[in-house]
Amino acid sequence: MARMERNLMLQLVSMFLMGVILGTLAKDELFATTHMEMFVDELPDMPKIRGFDVVNGVPVSKSLKIGMFHKKWKFHRDLPLTPVFAYGTSERTATVPGPTIEALQGIDTYVTWQNHLPSQHILSWDPTIPTAIPSTKKGIPTVVHLHGGIDEPESDGNAASWFTAGFEERGPTWTRKRYHYYNFQQPGNLWYHDHAMGLTRVNLLAGLIGAYIIRHPLVEAPLGLPNGDEFDRPLVIFDRAFRSNGSIYINSTGNNPSIHPQWRPEYFGDAIIVNGKAWPNMIVRRRKYRFRIINASNARFFRFYFTNDLEFFHVASDSAYHEQPVKLRELLLAPSEIADVVVDFSKSNSDWVILANNAPYPYPFGDPVNEANGKVMKFIVKKYREVDTGRIPKKLIKYPSPDVFGSLVTRYISMYEYTSAINEPTHMYINGKPYEAPVTEKPKVGTTEVWNVINLTGDNHPLHIHLGLFAVLDQTGLVNLDEFKACMLNTNDAIKCQISKYASGKKMGVLAHEKGWKNVYKMMPGYVTKIFVRFSYIHSNTSYRFDATTEPGYVYHCHILDHEDNVMMRPLKLVH
């Protein structure tokens, strides 16, 4: 009976959605990127919120209230105002991306995330994929995940822990209003974003993203890296398409409209946004700058490079420092990956330089970039060199290396894509199971495991594991892929399908700047990626400051948001 009621509800919602679609088709005219002049808006610096107080010179924990608001945002000089969802302490101060939260290592931050959003979404969404839908059909479900945070399950932002405005309706795993971020992990870069079931892609497209930094002055200050608000800047980068009226464009019809009226496997926009402005400019001095680059796109990979061959000095990846800097000419970032880099503009041989992109989309076998999405932002370099107190140290922070032989558990994690009769993707699964299937991954707190991630699809999937940090060991090509894939689709058992026989192709080494601890990694199509996953802190021998075994547990998933929503995501339950 419950299934019949749910099917009826989905039919009603689908009928409503189709009415919305028909009503909006006339408004789907895209605003051509050629109508927006590049590099005319100055790069914004997002507002900063301290996640701690100082009392008598001593830092102490702090409680914040951060809301989600419906407002209008100016993405470009030549574009009309855009309706968005934005994080902030008030509607007036809310921004896209949201304020940068700056926390101190070891000092707790508490955040009450408040939903002030309207009853109906500003973007089209699809109820035929597993989706958070309030019983009243009113209100926009949201829940915040601190990406890269090592925190209790109740504060992790489980996809079913959603809530609507005023907490009027709550998801089945909702736990509490106030989230507790311990900030006890290693210093590094994180970001926060919405994580509601089936709505993650549209809630992020609407603007619900923001940077979060954990600082540890005693450890970081001796490194001498560029610091201060002027020389240490987060760059939150994503792509969008816009309609002529300035609103965010998302397709109204799916690639399999008879199955999913709206869902498509990837979202791409030609306008490249940095800190809330399309193709901004930044005036820089001839000295070193530190940029914490977050790829906040739904599906777009970026391969960044400078048009005058300036170099990146890569000092940290995701939420952890390297042992030593790595010098790069180009830098590939998947959705949700973070690159912490230093750029020395005193080495520029010109008075301006463009940060550009040449990653095909979808990555790696998609279309080449065009004039619009091949440009990111422009740096205007001042003429005269000046005294530079920032430096690039030879050594950064050394964490214990992975001990593969100390691992007691080996798992096989398989990624599948399913297609329709017209050979269009219909959904994606991990291990051939829907999200609601019983938990199969139950690591013990404090242990380490080896995961062999088998990518049986044609896409590169950035895998994100909540709570767990991991190091990539190697990637091995699969031979006779079709034969192996047929067996896996039939049995979903890598051992029975003789994975050792098929995982005997080309070996791909791990790039130097990706050998450290990460929370996202690019799983190459047709390869087995071996990762060493640690379910404990990497900087300390102490156990978690919280009980990681409580409900609602954690998840791991592909961070292409359209894949995650439909439903390349599985639960992860820690045990004692």
Side-chain angles (χ1 to χ4, degrees):
M1 187 68 179
R3 180 176 294 180
M4 291 177 62
E5 289 176 351
R6 177 167 177 80
N7 288 340
L8 177 60
M9 180 186 71
L10 290 179
Q11 289 174 16
L12 291 172
V13 175
S14 297
M15 290 171 63
F16 169 78
L17 178 62
M18 290 307 295
V20 172
I21 289 170
L22 292 173
T24 57
L25 283 176
K27 302 177 184 177
D28 275 355
E29 182 183 351
L30 283 171
F31 190 91
T33 55
T34 53
H35 294 164
M36 291 188 280
E37 185 179 349
M38 291 185 177
F39 316 129
V40 295
D41 290 305
E42 184 178 350
L43 175 77
D45 198 4
M46 311 323 294
K48 292 181 174 61
I49 299 178
R50 289 202 316 189
F52 60 95
D53 280 324
V54 178
V55 178
N56 297 325
V58 178
V60 297
S61 64
K62 185 176 183 178
S63 292
L64 304 173
K65 291 183 178 179
I66 299 177
M68 307 161 219
F69 299 93
H70 180 204
K71 63 181 299 183
K72 292 189 175 180
W73 185 256
K74 188 72 170 174
F75 280 104
H76 189 273
R77 181 197 68 184
D78 303 328
L79 186 70
L81 286 170
T82 301
V84 296
F85 295 161
Y87 287 117
T89 54
S90 68
E91 182 179 351
R92 182 184 63 82
T93 61
T95 54
V96 178
T100 299
I101 301 174
E102 297 198 329
L104 278 183
Q105 199 276 345
I107 306 299
D108 303 75
T109 298
Y110 298 87
V111 182
T112 300
W113 300 100
Q114 299 175 325
N115 184 334
H116 300 290
L117 299 177
S119 61
Q120 301 297 330
H121 214 291
I122 59 174
L123 299 176
S124 300
W125 54 277
D126 195 325
T128 64
I129 63 176
T131 303
I133 301 177
S135 62
T136 61
K137 313 297 189 298
K138 293 181 180 179
I140 299 168
T142 64
V143 63
V144 178
H145 169 56
L146 179 56
H147 179 112
I150 299 180
D151 294 299
E152 61 190 10
E154 298 91 336
S155 300
D156 189 59
N158 186 276
S161 297
W162 52 268
F163 55 96
T164 59
F167 299 98
E168 184 173 340
E169 289 206 52
R170 305 168 185 182
T173 66
W174 186 88
T175 55
R176 60 183 58 168
K177 292 182 179 180
R178 190 173 77 150
Y179 277 21
H180 184 182
Y181 301 125
Y182 288 77
N183 302 320
F184 187 71
Q185 64 200 77
Q186 72 288 344
N189 302 300
L190 299 79
W191 65 299
Y192 60 95
H193 61 77
D194 190 74
H195 212 269
M197 179 68 73
L199 298 171
T200 302
R201 70 200 193 288
V202 291
N203 285 350
L204 267 70
L205 274 179
L208 295 180
I209 54 179
Y212 189 110
I213 300 171
I214 298 178
R215 300 186 185 275
H216 195 334
L218 291 178
V219 171
E220 296 180 281
L223 301 177
L225 293 164
N227 63 86
D229 290 347
E230 183 177 359
F231 306 117
D232 180 355
R233 305 282 295 270
L235 300 180
V236 183
I237 304 178
F238 50 91
D239 58 334
R240 295 290 184 271
F242 299 96
R243 293 189 178 91
S244 296
N245 64 2
S247 62
I248 295 170
Y249 172 84
I250 184 172
N251 53 282
S252 295
T253 55
N255 60 317
N256 283 299
S258 64
I259 301 172
H260 300 305
Q262 183 273 333
W263 180 85
R264 285 175 178 261
E266 289 95 17
Y267 174 92
F268 297 108
D270 280 343
I272 306 302
I273 316 295
V274 187
N275 288 5
K277 292 293 182 183
W279 309 289
N281 72 75
M282 178 182 177
I283 299 173
V284 294
R285 305 182 188 185
R286 285 191 175 269
R287 55 153 294 155
K288 300 177 193 71
Y289 284 73
R290 180 178 185 174
F291 298 114
R292 303 166 188 260
I293 305 173
I294 301 171
N295 181 355
S297 299
N298 281 35
R300 184 180 293 278
F301 286 62
F302 288 101
R303 189 160 53 209
F304 297 112
Y305 67 96
F306 287 107
T307 53
N308 67 352
D309 288 332
L310 271 178
E311 296 170 322
F312 303 94
F313 291 87
H314 203 285
V315 299
S317 186
D318 296 337
S319 60
Y321 277 96
H322 298 318
E323 183 177 347
Q324 58 191 33
V326 180
K327 187 164 59 174
L328 302 170
R329 291 284 185 187
E330 63 179 27
L331 172 61
L332 179 67
L333 274 192
S336 85
E337 277 192 300
I338 302 176
D340 197 334
V341 300
V342 175
V343 178
D344 188 353
F345 290 101
S346 72
K347 305 295 185 183
S348 176
N349 56 16
S350 57
D351 293 334
W352 59 268
V353 57
I354 292 172
L355 178 64
N357 161 52
N358 63 10
Y361 60 103
Y363 188 85
F365 304 122
D367 296 327
V369 297
N370 57 37
E371 176 64 21
N373 57 51
K375 303 288 194 302
V376 179
M377 64 178 292
K378 182 178 184 178
F379 293 95
I380 301 166
V381 187
K382 289 187 174 181
K383 185 174 182 180
Y384 298 106
R385 191 168 178 171
E386 59 180 66
V387 175
D388 186 355
T389 56
R391 66 188 184 94
I392 303 171
K394 292 183 179 179
K395 297 291 183 183
L396 292 163
I397 300 176
K398 181 175 175 58
Y399 296 113
S401 299
D403 178 13
V404 181
F405 299 104
S407 173
L408 300 177
V409 176
T410 296
R411 299 186 191 273
Y412 294 91
I413 308 294
S414 303
M415 295 177 153
Y416 297 92
E417 178 180 272
Y418 303 88
T419 57
S420 66
I422 58 173
N423 202 33
E424 285 286 336
T426 57
H427 61 290
M428 286 97 168
Y429 279 167
I430 294 177
N431 288 341
K433 299 180 186 298
Y435 176 75
E436 64 271 16
V439 183
T440 50
E441 282 68 55
K442 297 181 179 180
K444 288 186 177 181
V445 173
T447 63
T448 55
E449 300 187 346
V450 173
W451 288 19
N452 295 283
V453 184
I454 305 166
N455 187 351
L456 298 174
T457 80
D459 292 321
N460 189 312
H461 297 285
L463 180 70
H464 173 47
I465 303 176
H466 289 212
L467 186 72
L469 286 166
F470 57 87
V472 184
L473 304 178
D474 58 52
Q475 295 190 297
T476 306
L478 290 162
V479 300
N480 299 322
L481 179 59
D482 290 341
E483 182 179 298
F484 177 68
K485 185 177 178 180
C487 179
M488 289 294 288
L489 285 168
N490 185 47
T491 67
N492 191 40
D493 189 320
I495 301 298
K496 288 183 178 178
C497 289
Q498 300 178 301
I499 179 68
S500 58
K501 169 186 171 183
Y502 293 98
S504 57
K506 183 180 179 181
K507 285 273 189 182
M508 296 292 289
V510 182
L511 297 174
H513 68 286
E514 296 187 328
K515 285 185 176 179
W517 292 99
K518 292 181 61 61
N519 57 55
V520 180
Y521 195 74
K522 300 172 282 287
M523 302 297 161
M524 292 174 58
Y527 275 74
V528 179
T529 303
K530 181 177 289 188
I531 62 176
F532 179 83
V533 191
R534 183 167 177 174
F535 294 101
S536 62
Y537 297 115
I538 63 168
H539 73 294
S540 166
N541 289 324
T542 60
S543 60
Y544 289 134
R545 291 284 179 98
F546 49 87
D547 185 355
T549 68
T550 57
E551 297 299 334
Y554 301 94
V555 297
Y556 65 98
H557 58 87
C558 171
H559 221 291
I560 293 176
L561 302 182
D562 315 273
H563 297 180
E564 174 188 342
D565 276 355
N566 191 24
V567 178
M568 198 173 252
M569 178 167 66
R570 286 287 293 146
L572 178 70
K573 175 67 176 173
L574 269 71
V575 298
H576 288 302

PDB file of all heavy atoms in Angstrom, residues 466-477:
ATOM      1  N   HIS A 466      32.899  10.298   3.023  1.00  0.00           N
ATOM      2  CA  HIS A 466      32.684  11.111   4.216  1.00  0.00           C
ATOM      3  C   HIS A 466      33.463  10.508   5.382  1.00  0.00           C
ATOM      4  O   HIS A 466      33.508   9.280   5.543  1.00  0.00           O
ATOM      5  CB  HIS A 466      31.204  11.166   4.563  1.00  0.00           C
ATOM      6  CG  HIS A 466      30.382  11.984   3.615  1.00  0.00           C
ATOM      7  ND1 HIS A 466      29.259  12.689   4.003  1.00  0.00           N
ATOM      8  CD2 HIS A 466      30.517  12.232   2.293  1.00  0.00           C
ATOM      9  CE1 HIS A 466      28.739  13.322   2.965  1.00  0.00           C
ATOM     10  NE2 HIS A 466      29.484  13.040   1.902  1.00  0.00           N
ATOM     11  N   LEU A 467      34.061  11.356   6.182  1.00  0.00           N
ATOM     12  CA  LEU A 467      34.845  11.010   7.366  1.00  0.00           C
ATOM     13  C   LEU A 467      36.225  10.455   7.026  1.00  0.00           C
ATOM     14  O   LEU A 467      37.225  10.899   7.590  1.00  0.00           O
ATOM     15  CB  LEU A 467      34.096  10.015   8.256  1.00  0.00           C
ATOM     16  CG  LEU A 467      34.776   9.714   9.600  1.00  0.00           C
ATOM     17  CD1 LEU A 467      34.661  10.903  10.540  1.00  0.00           C
ATOM     18  CD2 LEU A 467      34.160   8.486  10.280  1.00  0.00           C
ATOM     19  N   GLY A 468      36.305   9.499   6.109  1.00  0.00           N
ATOM     20  CA  GLY A 468      37.573   8.823   5.840  1.00  0.00           C
ATOM     21  C   GLY A 468      38.495   9.620   4.937  1.00  0.00           C
ATOM     22  O   GLY A 468      38.084  10.162   3.917  1.00  0.00           O
ATOM     23  N   LEU A 469      39.764   9.682   5.319  1.00  0.00           N
ATOM     24  CA  LEU A 469      40.805  10.198   4.435  1.00  0.00           C
ATOM     25  C   LEU A 469      41.481   9.017   3.771  1.00  0.00           C
ATOM     26  O   LEU A 469      41.563   7.927   4.341  1.00  0.00           O
ATOM     27  CB  LEU A 469      41.835  11.014   5.223  1.00  0.00           C
ATOM     28  CG  LEU A 469      41.380  12.401   5.677  1.00  0.00           C
ATOM     29  CD1 LEU A 469      42.330  12.966   6.713  1.00  0.00           C
ATOM     30  CD2 LEU A 469      41.289  13.350   4.487  1.00  0.00           C
ATOM     31  N   PHE A 470      41.977   9.233   2.555  1.00  0.00           N
ATOM     32  CA  PHE A 470      42.605   8.110   1.874  1.00  0.00           C
ATOM     33  C   PHE A 470      43.795   8.559   1.031  1.00  0.00           C
ATOM     34  O   PHE A 470      43.913   9.733   0.663  1.00  0.00           O
ATOM     35  CB  PHE A 470      41.601   7.336   1.018  1.00  0.00           C
ATOM     36  CG  PHE A 470      40.881   8.150  -0.031  1.00  0.00           C
ATOM     37  CD1 PHE A 470      41.420   8.333  -1.290  1.00  0.00           C
ATOM     38  CD2 PHE A 470      39.635   8.716   0.232  1.00  0.00           C
ATOM     39  CE1 PHE A 470      40.748   9.051  -2.270  1.00  0.00           C
ATOM     40  CE2 PHE A 470      38.949   9.437  -0.733  1.00  0.00           C
ATOM     41  CZ  PHE A 470      39.510   9.604  -1.986  1.00  0.00           C
ATOM     42  N   ALA A 471      44.671   7.620   0.779  1.00  0.00           N
ATOM     43  CA  ALA A 471      45.821   7.825  -0.105  1.00  0.00           C
ATOM     44  C   ALA A 471      45.682   6.871  -1.281  1.00  0.00           C
ATOM     45  O   ALA A 471      45.294   5.708  -1.111  1.00  0.00           O
ATOM     46  CB  ALA A 471      47.128   7.576   0.633  1.00  0.00           C
ATOM     47  N   VAL A 472      45.979   7.366  -2.475  1.00  0.00           N
ATOM     48  CA  VAL A 472      45.859   6.559  -3.683  1.00  0.00           C
ATOM     49  C   VAL A 472      47.169   5.813  -3.897  1.00  0.00           C
ATOM     50  O   VAL A 472      48.249   6.411  -3.881  1.00  0.00           O
ATOM     51  CB  VAL A 472      45.516   7.442  -4.896  1.00  0.00           C
ATOM     52  CG1 VAL A 472      45.302   6.581  -6.135  1.00  0.00           C
ATOM     53  CG2 VAL A 472      44.275   8.278  -4.605  1.00  0.00           C
ATOM     54  N   LEU A 473      47.054   4.514  -4.121  1.00  0.00           N
ATOM     55  CA  LEU A 473      48.241   3.683  -4.287  1.00  0.00           C
ATOM     56  C   LEU A 473      48.613   3.495  -5.751  1.00  0.00           C
ATOM     57  O   LEU A 473      49.770   3.629  -6.126  1.00  0.00           O
ATOM     58  CB  LEU A 473      48.023   2.332  -3.604  1.00  0.00           C
ATOM     59  CG  LEU A 473      47.657   2.428  -2.111  1.00  0.00           C
ATOM     60  CD1 LEU A 473      47.408   1.041  -1.531  1.00  0.00           C
ATOM     61  CD2 LEU A 473      48.749   3.142  -1.337  1.00  0.00           C
ATOM     62  N   ASP A 474      47.635   3.149  -6.592  1.00  0.00           N
ATOM     63  CA  ASP A 474      47.901   3.002  -8.026  1.00  0.00           C
ATOM     64  C   ASP A 474      46.581   2.850  -8.769  1.00  0.00           C
ATOM     65  O   ASP A 474      45.519   2.663  -8.164  1.00  0.00           O
ATOM     66  CB  ASP A 474      48.831   1.817  -8.319  1.00  0.00           C
ATOM     67  CG  ASP A 474      48.278   0.481  -7.818  1.00  0.00           C
ATOM     68  OD1 ASP A 474      47.121   0.148  -8.151  1.00  0.00           O
ATOM     69  OD2 ASP A 474      48.984  -0.222  -7.094  1.00  0.00           O
ATOM     70  N   GLN A 475      46.674   2.904 -10.101  1.00  0.00           N
ATOM     71  CA  GLN A 475      45.530   2.656 -10.972  1.00  0.00           C
ATOM     72  C   GLN A 475      45.957   1.669 -12.049  1.00  0.00           C
ATOM     73  O   GLN A 475      46.989   1.853 -12.704  1.00  0.00           O
ATOM     74  CB  GLN A 475      45.029   3.958 -11.598  1.00  0.00           C
ATOM     75  CG  GLN A 475      44.461   4.937 -10.562  1.00  0.00           C
ATOM     76  CD  GLN A 475      43.746   6.122 -11.190  1.00  0.00           C
ATOM     77  OE1 GLN A 475      44.334   6.926 -11.886  1.00  0.00           O
ATOM     78  NE2 GLN A 475      42.452   6.237 -10.929  1.00  0.00           N
ATOM     79  N   THR A 476      45.142   0.618 -12.238  1.00  0.00           N
ATOM     80  CA  THR A 476      45.473  -0.457 -13.174  1.00  0.00           C
ATOM     81  C   THR A 476      44.356  -0.623 -14.186  1.00  0.00           C
ATOM     82  O   THR A 476      43.178  -0.759 -13.809  1.00  0.00           O
ATOM     83  CB  THR A 476      45.682  -1.789 -12.423  1.00  0.00           C
ATOM     84  OG1 THR A 476      46.656  -1.611 -11.397  1.00  0.00           O
ATOM     85  CG2 THR A 476      46.140  -2.875 -13.387  1.00  0.00           C
ATOM     86  N   GLY A 477      44.708  -0.626 -15.465  1.00  0.00           N
ATOM     87  CA  GLY A 477      43.722  -0.774 -16.515  1.00  0.00           C
ATOM     88  C   GLY A 477      43.120  -2.176 -16.551  1.00  0.00           C
ATOM     89  O   GLY A 477      43.782  -3.168 -16.233  1.00  0.00           O
TER      90      GLY A 477
END
